[in-house]
Amino acid sequence: MNLNKIYTDLLLIIGFQNQEIQQNWDILEKAYSKKSRYYHNLTHLEEMIASFEIYRNRLQNPNEILFSIFYHDVVYSASKKDNELKSAEFALSILSEKIKLDKQFVFDAICATQLHAYNENEDINWLIDFDLKILAKDWDDYKIYFEQIRKEYRIYPDFLYKPGRAKALKHFLEYEFIFQTDEFRSLYEEKARRNIEKEISLLESKK
């Protein structure tokens, strides 16, 4: 997947000039390519965009959703709790008045990826589900995912990380549904819950 081309095509459509696009891409690529990013990197964007391409025709605001995918983790630090807010603010900072994009929608969409809770806007529910699809991978791939997350949180010792991660995962199980669209619920809900339960048991068995 050529992320640069997808990004360039999108920004041309919404009103950016070529020179601006290359500068913005360089900044974006650098952010997602930091050595500290084992999961929240360009591969994560590729997987989300692969889902986006499948369901693009179901979206009312595909350009806003695609732009939000590119910027939803542009600011990411494992020690901070305002990554989504900072990412949303950063995304808006490059959007001038001439850009043909609903800026409030983009801001709300990116912020929604923090809690992954049901949203009144169905497009945002699709974005949330694209972000969480990793939870329903085959176990071997899911295991790679949570090992990558552990590396991102390597500044925390196990006695802090394990209960914290288990608590975050249990929040997902407490929801009536993990996924917010009917499509993803029917395809992935059961598998995601199994994976999460298995990871929790691993976290709690090695205390």
Side-chain angles (χ1 to χ4, degrees):
M1 180 182 291
N2 189 335
L3 287 180
N4 191 346
K5 184 179 187 307
I6 295 169
Y7 180 85
T8 298
D9 290 347
L10 172 65
L11 266 62
L12 283 172
I13 289 170
I14 63 177
F16 278 86
Q17 301 300 313
N18 275 309
Q19 184 180 357
E20 298 174 289
I21 294 172
Q22 189 58 51
Q23 291 172 346
N24 286 323
W25 170 255
D26 290 344
I27 293 168
L28 189 77
E29 185 179 37
K30 184 177 179 181
Y32 280 96
S33 301
K34 289 179 179 176
K35 290 183 178 179
S36 59
R37 292 183 180 237
Y38 293 88
Y39 174 71
H40 294 91
N41 52 28
L42 294 172
T43 301
H44 174 50
L45 294 189
E46 288 178 354
E47 293 193 346
M48 285 186 69
I49 291 171
S51 294
F52 166 83
E53 294 293 353
I54 294 170
Y55 297 102
R56 177 196 285 267
N57 293 337
R58 307 279 286 272
L59 303 172
Q60 299 298 313
N61 300 280
N63 289 342
E64 280 81 0
I65 292 298
L66 183 54
F67 188 84
S68 297
I69 290 172
F70 274 112
Y71 281 94
H72 80 289
D73 284 327
V74 67
V75 177
Y76 183 79
S77 172
S79 63
K80 301 290 177 59
K81 296 184 177 181
D82 61 352
N83 291 318
E84 291 79 11
L85 173 61
K86 294 298 185 185
S87 293
E89 290 173 346
F90 184 91
L92 261 58
S93 74
I94 71 164
L95 296 175
S96 66
E97 290 302 315
K98 67 180 180 180
I99 301 302
K100 293 172 285 192
L101 211 63
D102 185 332
K103 299 171 183 62
Q104 186 63 52
F105 182 100
V106 168
F107 184 86
D108 293 344
I110 293 175
C111 287
T113 63
Q114 179 176 20
L115 297 178
H116 297 104
Y118 175 79
N119 195 283
E120 291 182 0
N121 188 298
E122 188 66 6
D123 277 9
I124 294 178
N125 288 328
W126 282 106
L127 174 68
I128 290 167
D129 284 0
F130 298 158
D131 197 24
L132 293 184
K133 187 183 175 186
I134 186 68
L135 299 178
K137 289 274 192 176
D138 290 341
W139 176 252
D140 286 347
D141 290 328
Y142 180 83
K143 187 169 180 286
I144 291 170
Y145 150 71
F146 71 67
E147 288 171 348
Q148 290 170 335
I149 295 295
R150 181 64 184 104
K151 288 178 181 177
E152 290 187 342
Y153 282 81
R154 64 194 180 283
I155 61 171
Y156 297 104
D158 278 352
F159 77 88
L160 289 176
Y161 175 79
K162 288 186 175 182
R165 172 73 175 171
K167 182 180 179 181
L169 291 171
K170 287 174 181 177
H171 278 310
F172 281 118
L173 298 182
E174 289 167 1
Y175 292 147
E176 183 179 2
F177 296 106
I178 294 170
F179 295 103
Q180 305 307 326
T181 64
D182 291 338
E183 185 93 16
F184 272 55
R185 285 174 187 169
S186 63
L187 290 171
Y188 304 122
E189 185 78 22
E190 187 178 334
K191 195 170 186 179
R193 288 184 177 271
R194 283 202 308 269
N195 282 340
I196 290 171
E197 288 167 356
K198 192 170 180 179
E199 184 185 354
I200 291 171
S201 68
L202 288 173
L203 290 164
E204 294 182 338
S205 67
K206 297 180 181 178
K207 288 182 178 177

